[in-house]
Amino acid sequence: MARKTIYDIQTKMGNEKITCLTAYTAPIARLLDEHIDILLVGDSLGMVLYDYENTLPVTLDQMIEHTKAVIKSTVKSCVIMDLPFGTYEESKEQAFSNALRSIKETNCAGVKLEGGILIKETVKYITERGIPVMGHIGLQPQSVILDGGYKIKGRDKFEWKKYIDDAISLENAGAFSIVLEGMVEPLAEEITKILNIPTIGIGASVKCDGQVLVTEDMLGLTNISPKFVKEYINIRAPIENAIKDYVSEVKSEKFPSEKHTYQMKPMIVKEEKK
Ligand code: KIV
């Protein structure tokens, strides 16, 4: 079974909407693989799995280990890995060397970098050396300190030029796709119309070529619920019920029952020779 390729994504899969969800671990990745076009090993794992306040402390080693698990447990989806904060900003050479390490150690299909026009030379440098890059503009979680919070972009039209220029510069630099995060619908629509490569939206409306969500958010496993998150199911309650049942059965010695308990082999008693 062949994995979805960067080429499939870049050519917008014949105008079919592109589906993307985050995956950080083997059990979730296994579930998603059959259904989802792109599995994003996002640095949001810092907040979702490690309870960090933001994505800034995430390291390249963490990203690589989680991406290895996702690759090992899947066969169909195109797997993209986030380069975390501090691993690509210093120079294009630093960015390439960390992107290369990520590809070599994980076998993922490409890397995602946050930033627009400011990192266009970096994106060009990496893609010209054979590593596919997904861009990420609009609300950039790695810029949370600089931005003073997570703010929706493009509410005033005078802001638009910056984001349109960001998108065009990434496409010209060779990005195969761009995540548009936290921006108003008309701006996302405008960028999607201008670009030849697909846009993947998160909090950026139905006008994008595809959508991405953090899987744990849409399963109701996280506590955050920004407007753009749709909770398709809330699995906290059934999980909590199962945990309560376990506690009560352990305390009452109902678990482990015979079914979950090992016994010795039946004893064969040899007849004594006379
Ligand atoms: O880190 C992440 O999970 C992301 C997506 C939400 C786009 O960047």
Side-chain angles (χ1 to χ4, degrees):
M1 200 181 298
R3 274 188 193 274
K4 280 245 155 67
T5 63
I6 296 291
Y7 179 79
D8 295 331
I9 306 298
Q10 189 168 17
T11 51
K12 300 195 181 183
M13 305 193 331
N15 285 334
E16 206 185 306
K17 289 274 181 181
I18 299 165
T19 57
C20 177
L21 282 172
T22 58
Y24 321 126
T25 61
I28 293 284
R30 247 180 239 123
L31 280 172
L32 302 179
D33 190 38
E34 186 57 34
H35 311 281
I36 299 294
D37 301 317
I38 303 174
L39 298 185
L40 175 66
V41 188
D43 60 355
S44 52
L45 65 79
M47 297 164 84
V48 175
L49 298 186
Y50 294 93
D51 214 18
Y52 301 158
E53 197 180 324
N54 52 46
T55 58
L56 305 190
V58 175
T59 66
L60 190 61
D61 287 347
Q62 281 174 310
M63 294 305 302
I64 286 177
E65 285 313 307
H66 284 283
T67 306
K68 281 201 246 175
V70 170
I71 289 282
K72 194 159 182 289
S73 54
T74 58
V75 289
K76 280 183 81 175
S77 308
C78 176
V79 178
I80 303 298
M81 186 193 111
D82 263 352
L83 283 188
F85 182 60
T87 62
Y88 59 93
E89 298 88 342
E90 204 174 303
S91 65
K92 50 190 199 298
E93 289 81 7
Q94 178 213 26
F96 176 68
S97 124
N98 284 327
L100 184 66
R101 183 181 157 209
S102 307
I103 298 281
K104 281 193 180 272
E105 291 186 24
T106 70
N107 203 24
C108 68
V111 292
K112 176 163 82 59
L113 279 65
E114 291 182 16
I117 215 156
L118 288 176
I119 61 159
K120 69 172 190 206
E121 291 306 328
T122 297
V123 172
K124 188 163 183 278
Y125 192 81
I126 299 176
T127 54
E128 278 176 348
R129 281 156 185 77
I131 298 180
V133 170
M134 177 183 257
H136 183 155
I137 62 170
L139 191 162
Q140 296 169 205
Q142 292 179 11
S143 303
V144 61
I145 302 177
L146 209 58
D147 273 8
Y150 300 104
K151 294 178 184 154
I152 301 305
K153 312 298 182 191
R155 288 202 201 270
D156 292 315
K157 205 156 182 187
F158 70 81
E159 284 180 57
W160 283 28
K161 186 174 176 328
K162 173 196 166 357
Y163 298 106
I164 293 171
D165 288 350
D166 278 346
I168 294 172
S169 65
L170 288 177
E171 175 167 291
N172 290 341
F176 73 89
S177 167
I178 304 180
V179 168
L180 305 183
E181 178 162 358
M183 65 173 64
V184 296
E185 179 168 20
L187 174 58
E189 183 176 19
E190 181 74 6
I191 292 174
T192 303
K193 270 194 204 144
I194 292 171
L195 296 185
N196 296 304
I197 55 172
T199 57
I200 312 287
I202 174 160
S205 89
V206 73
K207 297 293 170 28
C208 299
D209 296 305
Q211 297 295 324
V212 55
L213 280 178
V214 169
T215 302
E216 284 76 358
D217 286 346
M218 56 95 81
L219 297 180
L221 272 175
T222 48
N223 279 327
I224 53 152
S225 50
K227 182 183 167 81
F228 65 81
V229 171
K230 177 169 177 184
E231 220 178 75
Y232 281 82
I233 189 171
N234 189 311
I235 57 172
R236 279 167 77 108
I239 291 176
E240 274 200 302
N241 287 340
I243 294 164
K244 281 185 204 156
D245 287 349
Y246 169 74
V247 169
S248 130
E249 290 195 3
V250 167
K251 291 195 187 284
S252 64
E253 293 186 13
K254 200 169 162 198
F255 178 82
S257 65
E258 188 61 34
K259 187 179 167 196
H260 301 103
T261 304
Y262 299 102
Q263 301 298 349
M264 292 177 69
K265 283 183 188 157
M267 257 216 298
I268 298 159
V269 185
K270 281 188 184 159
E271 261 183 47
E272 260 180 54
K273 279 186 185 161
K274 289 199 178 151

